[in-house]
Amino acid sequence: MNEKSHGGRRIHLNPAGAGRMPAAVREVLTEWTRFEDRYGPYELDERLEDVLHREIHERLAALLGAPAADTFVTAGAAQAFAAVLSRLPLGPRDRLWTTPYESAANLGAVFALRARTGCRVEVVPLRPDGDLDLEWMARHIGDDVALVCVPHVPSGCGVVHPVEDIGRLLAPYRSLYAVDASYAVGQLPVDAARIGCHLLTGDGWRFLRGPYAAGFACVAPRLRETLAPYGGVPLVPPHGAAAAALNAALALHTPATARPDLAPGLRAAVQDTAGTELIAPGRLQSGIVTFRHPDVPAALVRRRLADRGVVVWKTVAEEVPLYLPKRGVVTAVRASVHHDNSARDIELFADALKDAVSGPVPLPAPARHPLTAAPAPAAIPHTRLAARRHLALVPDTARIRPGA
């Protein structure tokens, strides 16, 4: 089977990584990028003033169930999350809750906050089925819990967390509540008011099918008041052309979620393929399906599917470092569906996947040992400050307190 067997049309099963940008959105991005190149960013902002300062915020408000005054256009979810945490006034007596499903990017911001403030980081434990243990949260919540961070849907698997239930649990307490909706917005209903969160972040280039490096955040009044003495909300908007294209994508977006038959069909296609193993913790699943094969590397599966006209993604354990490595996952394949996919796409994926895992697996290349007169000296930082900067690049999970 090859790409020609389905008319040369590539089957895009990676909206979780990058959605297929509609032609109208691409035209807006191209037009205003050319305008900025010719006339400069100030003229672009002046020409797009109504779009950038009113229209896009009204559309984000309608999408996210939040007042337009609470919405911000950003370069992306991870940048917005890190920027807000960089100014939170926590202290050594404060506790911060994260989850085993947190992304590496967000964990980096959590570690930086801990290093700056001395707060304690605790990981909410999981139930045996892979869901977050809300009973543990109810037993251990207190006013010393200053911040709770939860991904609505993680990047490494398709579990849907009960973010509204968590919001109700936290409501009587002091805790700020941050929800990463990057992999939820556009495929699932997301309502910031119903969730009860103080910070909601998302990317515009995934299920919303906007341009890369354009995202958004909802920042509730309470969080804005908390940050006001420390410089306010430090969110940097994207380039004007990207913001205009995101606005166009929001205009085209419909509230329809992924068709109910597509995600189960995608999971069934994986389960029906000999040797594949689903990575699907939790009771409620989204349109993201992650799997691996014990004999065929994920990179090879992805390439073979691409050769057959099917676009998926390879994910690595380091992207969700508190969950995937502990489950023995090094690499995996991630497929996802959008409401513009069809049942025929799933059928073609099923056939292509069977072909992809049945082919021969090449032997690894032999290791080469270069001949040298002497081993090269290790690089040594010239100053203690350089050494500290080097160590800061290494994720530090040793001092994260387990939830249980």
Side-chain angles (χ1 to χ4, degrees):
M1 176 179 176
N2 54 40
E3 191 172 338
K4 293 182 179 179
S5 66
H6 41 85
R9 182 177 68 87
R10 297 187 70 80
I11 298 170
H12 190 82
L13 296 179
N14 186 31
R20 289 182 295 187
M21 194 183 301
V25 177
R26 191 179 301 108
E27 289 171 5
V28 169
L29 180 63
T30 301
E31 175 187 356
W32 290 112
T33 299
R34 288 173 175 168
F35 183 94
E36 181 177 16
D37 181 64
R38 183 172 183 180
Y39 298 104
Y42 297 110
E43 288 76 5
L44 177 69
D45 289 346
E46 182 177 307
R47 185 69 65 90
L48 291 175
E49 181 176 2
D50 187 60
V51 170
L52 301 180
H53 299 288
R54 180 191 62 80
E55 193 171 280
I56 192 170
H57 295 284
E58 291 178 351
R59 287 183 170 144
L60 283 171
L63 175 71
L64 303 173
D70 292 357
T71 63
F72 294 78
V73 185
T74 74
Q79 295 90 332
F81 181 81
V84 169
L85 263 62
S86 72
R87 293 190 180 176
L88 281 181
L90 272 59
R93 296 183 179 181
D94 290 323
R95 289 190 289 158
L96 183 157
W97 284 357
T98 187
T99 79
Y101 296 110
E102 195 62 82
S103 69
N106 284 0
L107 280 177
V110 167
F111 295 149
L113 177 63
R114 181 184 63 184
R116 177 173 62 86
T117 67
C119 68
R120 292 177 292 162
V121 175
E122 298 175 352
V123 180
V124 176
L126 302 179
R127 292 158 36 105
D129 60 11
D131 280 335
L132 295 175
D133 191 339
L134 270 61
E135 293 181 359
W136 181 94
M137 297 178 74
R139 291 195 306 271
H140 292 82
I141 187 63
D143 282 335
D144 59 345
V145 178
L147 176 65
V148 175
C149 308
V150 178
H152 195 168
V153 177
S155 64
C157 58
V159 61
V160 181
H161 292 137
V163 289
E164 294 183 11
D165 293 342
I166 295 172
R168 286 189 288 269
L169 187 153
L170 299 176
Y173 297 92
R174 158 186 174 241
S175 175
L176 293 168
Y177 182 25
V179 172
D180 182 354
S182 299
Y183 295 87
V185 170
Q187 68 152 331
L188 301 172
V190 174
D191 190 312
R194 290 177 60 88
I195 293 172
C197 57
H198 305 95
L199 174 66
L200 185 143
T201 56
D203 297 321
W205 60 87
R206 303 188 193 278
F207 291 95
L208 290 176
R209 302 191 297 168
Y212 187 72
F216 51 85
C218 285
V219 186
R222 180 186 157 196
L223 179 54
R224 298 204 301 273
E225 293 169 4
T226 299
L227 296 176
Y230 306 94
V233 182
L235 300 181
V236 178
H239 290 135
L246 176 58
N247 182 62
L250 293 171
L252 293 175
H253 178 71
T254 62
T257 58
R259 285 176 42 185
D261 60 315
L262 293 185
L266 192 64
R267 284 191 291 275
V270 173
Q271 291 174 309
D272 292 343
T273 301
T276 55
E277 174 193 352
L278 275 175
I279 304 170
R283 290 170 291 179
L284 182 60
Q285 295 292 312
S286 67
I288 298 174
V289 176
T290 306
F291 62 94
R292 62 177 174 173
H293 192 282
D295 301 320
V296 188
L300 182 57
V301 174
R302 187 201 65 78
R303 288 197 300 271
R304 287 177 173 176
L305 286 172
D307 290 342
R308 291 159 174 79
V310 180
V311 179
V312 294
W313 189 252
K314 186 194 87 170
T315 186
V316 297
E318 289 79 5
E319 293 176 6
V320 190
L322 299 184
Y323 179 76
L324 292 179
K326 291 184 178 180
R327 273 68 188 174
V329 178
V330 178
T331 61
V333 180
R334 187 185 70 196
S336 49
V337 290
H338 192 269
H339 60 75
D340 66 348
N341 286 117
S342 67
R344 179 60 177 159
D345 291 344
I346 307 304
E347 293 174 3
L348 293 169
F349 164 74
D351 293 339
L353 180 60
K354 289 182 174 62
D355 287 348
V357 301
S358 62
V361 178
L363 295 175
R368 295 184 178 182
H369 302 284
L371 298 176
T372 57
I380 300 176
H382 293 292
T383 65
R384 291 183 178 180
L385 177 59
R388 287 198 297 271
R389 287 175 176 170
H390 173 73
L391 292 174
L393 299 176
V394 181
D396 175 13
T397 58
R399 291 188 292 125
I400 296 182
R401 298 178 59 185

